[in-house]
Each structure stands twice: as structure tokens, then as C-alpha cells.
């Protein structure tokens, strides 16, 4: 099994202490992600408490950092994998093939053959040709029909690309699967990523129920409902209202006595708030009007849209600013319209504009929270700029709890991860 390096956070220390220790080392070329694994564990516990009926299959695409994935394996979560690579990674990290759903409706031939070879049977589909392919390459698979049910308030709507029409196409596809002798076991949907509308889940679950009824009329006994992703994950966006809606829809349309297994594929929920980005100002340009008054101050950071910023989730809240030179006490309170650019030569690499900030200096640090979702997995090395370096932290208390898991992970001490404070390194075997 692969070893993963965790930095152990002793009691009394916080992520803020880590940020301070990173800043104390001075500006770096590469952006830094501080990954707080306690936050992932808290999210998992919160999920189990609020959505006790719904088994989470974490969407690996959202953030595939090995420390996150290994922690979730230890916690007994399942996984939504979309490719051969993601499946391979999860199996290497110790995931149980029975706890993986191959949740891509358009799978490559190679990935299907691979899935079959390692016992991954649960998978989604939304079209006839995919069914033909599955029949040929993995006929024993347990299939989940993905229907389209879109939230009107999603950051990323997925329905245009995936999911069949539930009224007209779904019954035909179920009939076709039956004619091929394939085993359809459930219905799935994804209301769209970053949905702000919890009530959408109610309609989607109700819609799935009617397909369960139809399926029975043609001889299928469906037993799985997959409610997809679409949950918020920022630290100030709880899932309480989502849980309330889902629980009441399940109670009404899939009561416990129906014996239907319910799973979900949350991505953003699990990881958004777990990552804090530390970037720094690498260059700066002041734009003035002909009278010399400042119109805009443009800052060029070492991270941007080709790194860990999300294209579809523009930043509105100002980051925390930490002066690079800690001796320098800034008394200024004046704020200026400011533009934050990423480092690349592309002018679309714009983090935000019109933000009112105090004047920053080269080497100052900007700390952005809620950076864990769809950042690191979408980051590129465009223009030769470095992707963020991830430093994973876990508290001793949480570590002690996790290492008691059935896989018997152990803790190893090695040289201090960050000199001058009380961090140590740990490997999870
Ligand atoms: C099939 C599937 N499942 C789950 C997810 C995760 O969604 P979210 O991050 O909104 O929870 C996605 C995201 O694109 C997806 O495509």
C-alpha cells in the first residue's frame, strides 16, 4: 500500500498556526494548499448524522489528493470514479471494489474491460449504445439508469450532457436493457454541481420513484437510488436544508420498508472547506487617470484560473492579507479598486476585479478559504507555472481515531515538517 504523508497537528495548534508558519518562510514560487483533514472528517460525520439513510460515494474528480482519499477509505466511505485512472488510484489506496460506482455514462472500452477485471460492477448508463457496449464487455454489471433532473440554480449544469429524459427515454431504455438481458438495479440523477436549490431534490426523488414503478411492470426489481452530488461545501454553507428535503422525500417515496439502498455522490461538500490557499503577490501595476488618481491596482499572483481557482466560481469575498515583511506594521486603511490576476500570459486568467483592497506589496500573502473543490484536479502547468503544493494536516485526536480503523494504519515519526513549531510528520501505511 502507498504511504501518504500527513503532518500531525498537536493539540492547541490550529490551521491558522500552519498558515503563519508557511508565511514565516517567506514568499514561494508555488502556491500552497493547506489541507485540513479534520474538516473532511467533520464533514463525513455531519453527513452520517444528517443523512443517515444515504451512503456517501465521494466523487474523486472533485479533489483526488491521496490523503483525502485515504482518510475517506478509513472512514468507510464509498467512491464515485469516472475513469480507469480514478478506479486504479482508489484500489491502490485500499478501497473496496464493492464500494465503487463507475459513475460515467460514457465509458471507454478500455475502462469497461478494466472495471470488469477488478470486480467493479456498479455503473451508470443513459443511452442505448452504452448498453450495447456493456452487454458486450461487462454483461454481469449492475446498472443504474441516469435520468436528467436539473436544478435551475446550479453553478455547473450537467443535464445537457448526461442523463436521459425521464418521461420518454427512460422507459424505452429500461425496455431495451430488458431485451438485452442486462440487470438494471437502480436510478440515478445529478441536479447540477453547486446547486443553491435544495428543493430540487424532492422533485428528482419523486421522479425516480415513478420509474421504479414503471420498471416493476416490465420485470425489473429496482433496489438502488443514487441521488448524485450538488451539495454545497463552503464553510458558511451548511447542508441542513438539503438533508431535510431529502429525508422527507425519502420518507414519502422510498420509506425504509421499501428496502431501497440510497447512495449519493457528493464531491464539493466533502472538500471545499478543507483547503486554504496561500498565494502571494509577484508583481503589481498601478493604473491611473490623467490626473494621476488611482483607478485600479493590478496584482499578479502565483495562482490563478489555470491553477486552483474555479472558472465558474468567481471570488467575491476579499482574501485575508498577511504582509510579507512581518516587521512592517501597516497603518493604512485606505482601500483601492483592485484586480487580482493569475500568473499566466492569458488575459482570461483573472481571479477577480473591482475588489476593494488596501494597497498590497510584492511578497504579501493572500489567503483564500474554501479552495478544496475542483481546484487541484483542474490545475494545469500552463506557461510552466507550478501547480499548488499540498500540505496535509490532521490533529492528533483525529489521527488516533482514524488509525484505529480496520486497516490498522500506523503512525511514524520523522523529521519536523515545519521547523520552529510543533508539527511532526506521519505516514499512513
Ligand atoms: C457524475 C457526478 N457525480 C458527482 C459529482 C460531484 O458533484 P458535486 O461536486 O456537485 O457534489 C459530479 C460532478 O461533476 C458528477 O459529474
Amino acid at each position: 500500500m502507498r504511504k501518504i504523508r500527513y503532518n500531525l497537528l498537536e493539540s492547541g495548534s490550529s490551521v491558522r498556526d500552519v498558515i503563519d508558519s508557511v508565511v514565516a518562510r517567506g514568499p514561494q514560487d508555488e502556491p500552497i494548499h493547506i489541507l485540513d483533514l479534520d474538516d473532511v472528517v467533520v464533514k463525513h460525520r455531519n453527513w452520517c448524522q444528517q443523512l443517515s439513510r444515504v451512503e456517501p460515494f465521494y466523487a474523486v474528480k472533485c479533489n483526488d489528493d491521496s490523503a483525502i482519499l485515504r482518510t475517506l477509505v478509513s472512514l468507510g466511505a464509498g467512491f464515485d470514479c469516472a475513469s480507469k485512472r480514478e478506479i486504479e488510484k482508489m484500489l491502490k489506496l485500499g478501497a473496496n471494489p464493492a464500494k465503487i460506482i463507475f459513475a460515467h455514462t460514457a465509458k471507454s472500452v478500455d475502462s469497461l474491460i478494466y472495471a470488469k477485471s477488478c470486480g467493479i460492477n456498479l455503473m451508470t448508463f443513459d443511452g442505448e449504445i452504452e448498453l450495447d457496449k456493456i452487454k458486450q464487455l461487462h454483461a454481469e454489471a449492475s446498472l443504474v439508469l441516469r435520468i436528467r433532473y436539473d436544478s435551475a440554480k446550479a453553478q455547473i449544469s450537467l443535464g445537457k450532457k448526461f442523463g436521459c429524459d425521464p418521461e420518454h427515454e427512460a422507459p424505452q431504455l429500461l425496455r431495451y436493457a430488458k431485451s438485452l438481458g442486462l440487470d438494471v438495479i437502480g436510478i440515478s440523477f445529478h441536479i447540477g454541481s453547486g446547486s443553491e436549490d435544495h428543493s430540487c431534490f424532492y422533485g428528482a426523488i419523486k421522479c425516480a420513484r415513478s420509474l421504479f414503478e414503471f420498471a416493476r411492470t416490465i420485470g425489473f426489481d429496482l433496489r438502488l437510488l443514487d441521488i448524485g452530488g450538488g451539495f454545497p461545501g463552503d464553510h458558511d454553507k451548511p447542508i441542513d436544508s438539503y438533508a431535510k428535503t431529502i429525508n422527507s422525500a425519502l420518507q414519502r417515496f422510498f420509506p425504509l420498508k421499501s428496502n431501497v439502498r440510497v447512495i449519493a455522490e457528493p464531491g464539493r461538500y466533502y472538500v471545499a472547506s478543507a483547503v486554504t490557499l496561500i498565494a502571494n503577490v509577484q508583481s503589481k501595476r498601478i493604473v491611473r487617470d490623467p490626473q494621476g488618481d488611482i483607478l485600479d491596482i493590478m496584482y499578479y499572483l502565483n495562482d490563478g484560473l489555470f491553477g486552483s481557482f474555479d472558472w465558474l466560481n468567481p471570488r467575491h469575498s476579499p482574501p485575508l492579507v498577511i504582509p510579507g515583511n512581518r516587521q512592517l506594521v501597516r497603518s493604512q486603511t485606505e482601500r483601492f479598486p483592485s484586480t487580482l490576476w493569475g500568473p499566466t500570459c492569458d488575459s482570461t486568467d483573472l481571479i477577480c476585479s473591482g475588489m476593494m483592497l488596501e494597497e498590497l506589496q510584492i511578497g504579501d500573502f493572500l489567503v483564500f478559504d474554501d479552495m478544496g473543490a475542483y481546484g487541484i484536479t483542474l490545475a494545469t502547468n500552463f506557461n510552466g507555472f507550478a501547480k499548488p503544493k499540498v500540505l496535509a494536516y490532521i490533529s492528533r485526536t483525529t489521527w488516533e481515531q482514524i488509525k484505529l480503523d480496520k486497516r490498522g494504519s500506523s503512525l511514524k515519526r520523522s523529521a519536523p515538517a515545519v521547523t520552529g513549531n510543533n508539527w511532526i510528520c506521519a505516514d499512513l501505511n
Side-chain angles (χ1 to χ4, degrees):
M1 187 172 298
R2 286 219 337 235
K3 282 191 178 181
I4 299 159
R5 175 152 288 196
Y6 288 69
N7 296 296
L8 200 64
L9 191 51
E10 295 292 359
S11 70
S13 301
S14 67
V15 167
R16 183 56 216 248
D17 297 324
V18 179
I19 293 169
D20 287 344
S21 73
V22 169
V23 164
R25 281 186 277 171
Q28 313 274 318
D29 239 27
E30 59 194 350
I32 308 282
H33 275 194
I34 304 297
L35 167 58
D36 178 5
L37 291 162
D38 281 51
D39 196 77
V40 176
V41 175
V42 167
K43 286 282 188 68
H44 179 71
R45 289 185 179 144
N46 182 50
W47 178 283
C48 297
Q49 217 173 13
Q50 296 215 42
L51 285 160
S52 55
R53 178 89 193 274
V54 187
E55 290 174 52
F57 279 55
Y58 170 68
V60 175
K61 60 181 85 62
C62 191
N63 187 325
D64 66 351
D65 183 274
S66 297
I68 294 176
L69 301 176
R70 186 62 186 85
T71 301
L72 288 174
V73 170
S74 292
L75 292 169
F79 297 91
D80 148 13
C81 295
S83 64
K84 181 179 172 185
R85 278 270 188 88
E86 285 187 355
I87 295 173
E88 266 171 354
K89 183 163 190 172
M90 287 320 311
L91 294 178
K92 274 190 197 146
L93 288 166
N96 176 351
K99 295 275 278 182
I100 291 176
I101 179 164
F102 195 169
H104 199 313
T105 54
K107 295 165 278 299
S108 74
V109 166
D110 196 34
S111 65
L112 254 178
I113 294 169
Y114 177 72
K116 179 178 165 143
S117 75
C118 41
I120 311 276
N121 293 329
L122 193 58
M123 58 189 65
T124 58
F125 74 99
D126 62 2
E128 280 190 10
I129 293 161
E130 191 71 7
L131 281 177
D132 291 338
K133 212 163 64 186
I134 293 170
K135 168 78 182 168
Q136 206 190 339
L137 302 169
H138 195 350
E140 317 72 39
S142 300
L143 302 177
V144 180
L145 172 60
R146 179 160 165 184
I147 56 168
R148 177 176 187 175
Y149 201 99
D150 295 339
S151 159
K153 291 190 195 162
Q155 265 166 37
I156 306 173
S157 184
L158 300 165
K160 259 193 290 181
K161 190 169 178 185
F162 302 111
C164 68
D165 171 71
E167 243 180 88
H168 307 294
E169 285 180 290
Q172 281 170 25
L173 280 170
L174 287 169
R175 279 200 189 93
Y176 188 59
K178 193 77 195 167
S179 73
L180 294 178
L182 293 170
D183 187 19
V184 181
I185 66 151
I187 302 291
S188 79
F189 56 80
H190 192 308
I191 62 165
S193 193
S195 168
E196 285 174 17
D197 178 16
H198 61 87
S199 63
C200 185
F201 276 102
Y202 196 89
I205 292 170
K206 183 177 175 191
C207 181
R209 174 78 251 171
S210 55
L211 282 167
F212 269 63
E213 300 303 336
F214 172 79
R216 186 180 319 198
T217 66
I218 60 166
F220 280 124
D221 180 23
L222 302 191
R223 48 203 182 275
L224 182 119
L225 172 69
D226 175 356
I227 63 171
F231 303 85
D234 289 358
H235 68 279
D236 59 351
K237 291 187 183 154
I239 56 160
D240 305 37
S241 55
Y242 293 73
K244 212 170 153 198
T245 303
I246 290 164
N247 289 333
S248 85
L250 291 179
Q251 209 173 3
R252 169 122 193 240
F253 303 111
F254 293 93
L256 265 179
K257 64 174 191 300
S258 66
N259 275 332
V260 170
R261 181 184 183 198
V262 187
I263 69 169
E265 300 163 6
R268 198 180 290 279
Y269 165 76
Y270 266 88
V271 292
S273 57
V275 173
T276 305
L277 162 71
I278 308 177
N280 54 68
V281 178
Q282 294 189 318
S283 191
K284 159 179 172 182
R285 197 146 69 86
I286 302 181
V287 183
R288 297 177 189 274
D289 67 13
Q291 288 71 43
D293 292 328
I294 295 179
L295 291 175
D296 187 24
I297 308 187
M298 306 208 294
Y299 299 101
Y300 301 84
L301 309 188
N302 61 342
D303 198 2
L305 261 58
F306 295 91
S308 51
F309 284 88
D310 183 347
W311 286 83
L312 293 158
N313 194 9
R315 285 272 138 182
H316 297 299
S317 52
L320 169 73
V321 175
I322 305 179
N325 182 347
R326 313 210 89 224
Q327 317 312 325
L328 192 73
V329 179
R330 303 243 179 89
S331 57
Q332 56 163 321
T333 50
E334 195 177 358
R335 287 170 189 269
F336 301 92
S338 306
T339 300
L340 302 181
W341 294 103
T344 68
C345 297
D346 192 314
S347 64
T348 62
D349 191 3
L350 170 67
I351 299 165
C352 64
S353 59
M355 191 174 269
M356 297 302 289
L357 294 177
E358 64 189 74
E359 187 175 355
L360 309 175
Q361 308 301 335
I362 307 296
D364 280 354
F365 293 90
L366 298 180
V367 179
F368 297 84
D369 54 18
D370 296 322
M371 291 293 289
Y374 303 107
I376 200 82
T377 40
L378 287 170
T380 72
N381 288 116
F382 179 49
N383 272 190
F385 290 105
K387 289 185 195 179
K389 177 176 176 184
V390 181
L391 303 175
Y393 287 86
I394 192 164
S395 72
R396 180 174 285 282
T397 322
T398 303
W399 172 267
E400 295 293 342
Q401 288 162 0
I402 286 181
K403 84 181 168 111
L404 291 175
D405 83 324
K406 51 192 173 297
R407 308 199 66 82
S409 311
S410 67
L411 172 70
K412 274 191 187 167
R413 283 166 176 272
S414 61
V418 180
T419 49
N421 65 18
N422 58 349
W423 305 104
I424 60 167
C425 282
D427 289 332
L428 189 59
N429 289 315

